[in-house]
Amino acid sequence: MSASLPATCLPCRNPAHAQQHIRTVIMRHLLPFGQSRSIRVVPGNSRMSMESRNSFRASRQSFVSETGPHTHSDSTSPTHTRGCARFIMEHDSMLYSIWQQLTLVCTLVTVVFFPLGLAFYDETWMAALVLAIDGVFVLDMLICFRLTYVDASTGQTVRESRAMAKHYAKTMLPLDVLSTFPFDLCFLSVEWMALIGFLRFLRIRRILVFFARLEMMESLEFHTTCFFKFLLLLVLNAHTGGCVMWFLASLRDFADDETWVGSTLANAPFGERYMVCMYWAITTLTTVGYGDYSPVSVEERCFGCVYMLFNMGVTAYIIGTASSLSTKGVRGTDAPQRPRTTAQALCRTT
């Protein structure tokens, strides 16, 4: 029976040969196919050559790192990346796309309800809503620390923990801190300091990124996307400006000689008050200025100057983009490519 077995399966009575036989079997199981064929086994010699020993050590280290826990702390190794995969968020995953849509909705709620709460509603539920949205963006900051990104120099996805945290700290972390921390709650004793809460409007960049991605979609008409973007910009501009003007009038208790609305409209229904605010903002935005409502106090005039200068920039941007699109007109020409390139750059920084 034993004569029919291969020579490698026969037991070795010589201890040196047995040790060499065991090492040879281990190396043939651990080493790749090409390396295992290149090892020479010398019968009667219990020591391996230096080349075989180095190959054996390298293969053993690779085998242990892939199958068992490793003791070295090489953060750039693929094993470390796979071990942390459960704690990171892929930037191109469906889960993160859903989370982005949620933060976009929270941004729209912020830019609509925060000015309304500042000007017309001094109620607990409005403040609770704003704080709840702040909590959502705090969670978003924690996710961004564990969010993968594409390295611009190599084009590869980075999943290393320190690199992801460092990338977020260098890009969007300062803006997120300013737009998330409730600075206005630190100055509740000073009424006009509530305007610091408008730092939350730094979240509008998420709306800009959303429209930038729509502009890069070939299935959507570029001119239609720009139209809705400009319309939303004008409505939010008038909404915010009118609410701020009403808030400034409330600081002087709507005195007839010290505010732009007086005490007549102070007790009017909400619809009438809000319409007056939108009317003033739109007439200022369009540079019509009928004169029936004009700033009176120092605070109102200061804000009016800032608001008019800001509207000049908004108007110039809208008219310049619209005229450029109307003259060139076709997607793929030089005119639409400039905003599309800017949109691509904006998407890469988020």
Side-chain angles (χ1 to χ4, degrees):
M1 181 67 67
S2 61
S4 63
L5 294 175
T8 55
C9 296
L10 294 177
C12 299
R13 297 182 178 180
N14 191 341
H17 288 183
Q19 185 179 7
Q20 178 65 19
H21 176 75
I22 294 173
R23 290 180 178 178
T24 303
V25 173
I26 293 177
M27 285 188 295
R28 287 179 178 176
H29 282 80
L30 294 180
L31 291 178
F33 179 79
Q35 295 183 9
S36 63
R37 297 300 182 187
S38 63
I39 297 176
R40 297 181 59 187
V41 180
V42 181
N45 185 6
S46 61
R47 294 186 179 181
M48 294 183 294
S49 63
M50 184 62 68
E51 179 181 359
S52 301
R53 184 177 301 177
N54 293 337
S55 300
F56 175 75
R57 289 177 178 175
S59 300
R60 180 180 180 276
Q61 183 178 3
S62 176
F63 178 78
V64 173
S65 63
E66 292 180 3
T67 58
H70 57 280
T71 57
H72 62 282
S73 59
D74 187 6
S75 60
T76 60
S77 63
T79 305
H80 177 82
T81 303
R82 288 195 297 269
C84 296
R86 72 178 71 178
F87 303 110
I88 66 175
M89 175 76 74
E90 295 289 340
H91 68 280
D92 55 352
S93 63
M94 180 62 66
L95 180 60
Y96 185 66
S97 178
I98 296 174
W99 177 256
Q100 283 184 313
Q101 303 305 318
L102 176 61
T103 56
L104 178 64
V105 173
C106 291
T107 301
L108 291 174
V109 173
T110 300
V111 297
V112 172
F113 283 91
F114 178 77
L116 286 177
L118 182 69
F120 302 103
Y121 296 102
D122 189 11
E123 298 181 5
T124 305
W125 71 269
M126 186 72 70
L129 176 63
V130 174
L131 291 178
I133 294 177
D134 291 343
V136 172
F137 285 100
V138 169
L139 181 58
D140 180 72
M141 293 174 59
L142 298 178
I143 292 176
C144 289
F145 275 110
R146 306 293 298 174
L147 181 66
T148 62
Y149 69 97
V150 178
D151 192 352
S153 58
T154 61
Q156 297 181 353
T157 302
V158 179
R159 295 182 175 86
E160 201 272 324
S161 302
R162 294 184 180 178
M164 291 186 296
K166 187 177 181 180
H167 176 263
Y168 176 59
K170 286 184 176 181
T171 53
M172 305 310 301
L173 179 60
L175 288 180
D176 288 344
V177 171
L178 290 176
S179 62
T180 303
F181 187 81
F183 293 98
D184 50 336
L185 298 181
C186 300
F187 305 96
L188 292 177
S189 59
V190 183
E191 289 186 280
W192 66 270
M193 290 297 290
L195 295 174
I196 298 180
F198 277 100
L199 288 173
R200 295 181 175 90
F201 273 48
L202 293 175
R203 302 168 186 170
I204 291 181
R205 66 178 178 83
R206 301 174 186 273
I207 302 178
L208 299 179
V209 170
F210 172 74
F211 277 103
R213 290 171 179 169
L214 292 182
E215 291 173 2
M216 290 186 291
M217 295 177 61
E218 297 293 336
S219 59
L220 297 178
E221 183 64 30
F222 185 77
H223 301 77
T224 305
T225 305
C226 290
F227 170 77
F228 283 104
K229 180 176 68 173
F230 295 153
L231 179 62
L232 180 63
L233 175 62
L234 293 176
V235 172
L236 292 179
N237 183 17
H239 170 76
T240 305
C243 290
V244 172
M245 280 295 290
W246 190 270
F247 170 75
L248 294 177
S250 67
L251 295 179
R252 294 179 177 266
D253 297 329
F254 302 100
D256 293 330
D257 299 333
E258 298 180 2
T259 60
W260 66 284
V261 290
S263 59
T264 305
L265 293 173
N267 298 322
F270 166 75
E272 183 178 354
R273 289 180 292 165
Y274 182 74
M275 194 62 223
V276 169
C277 294
M278 290 293 290
Y279 170 78
W280 175 87
I282 292 175
T283 55
T284 304
L285 172 63
T286 56
T287 66
V288 175
Y290 290 113
D292 47 354
Y293 292 100
S294 57
V296 176
S297 64
V298 177
E299 298 88 355
E300 294 171 355
R301 290 176 178 176
C302 290
F303 174 74
C305 294
V306 174
Y307 188 63
M308 285 184 284
L309 292 175
F310 176 77
N311 287 334
M312 288 179 59
V314 172
T315 305
Y317 169 69
I318 294 177
I319 294 177
T321 305
S323 61
S324 179
L325 292 176
S326 62
T327 53
K328 300 294 182 180
V330 181
R331 181 192 291 270
T333 57
D334 295 337
Q337 288 297 324
R338 181 177 60 83
R340 285 171 63 84
T341 303
T342 306
Q344 294 174 358
L346 182 61
C347 290
R348 287 198 297 267
T349 58
T350 56

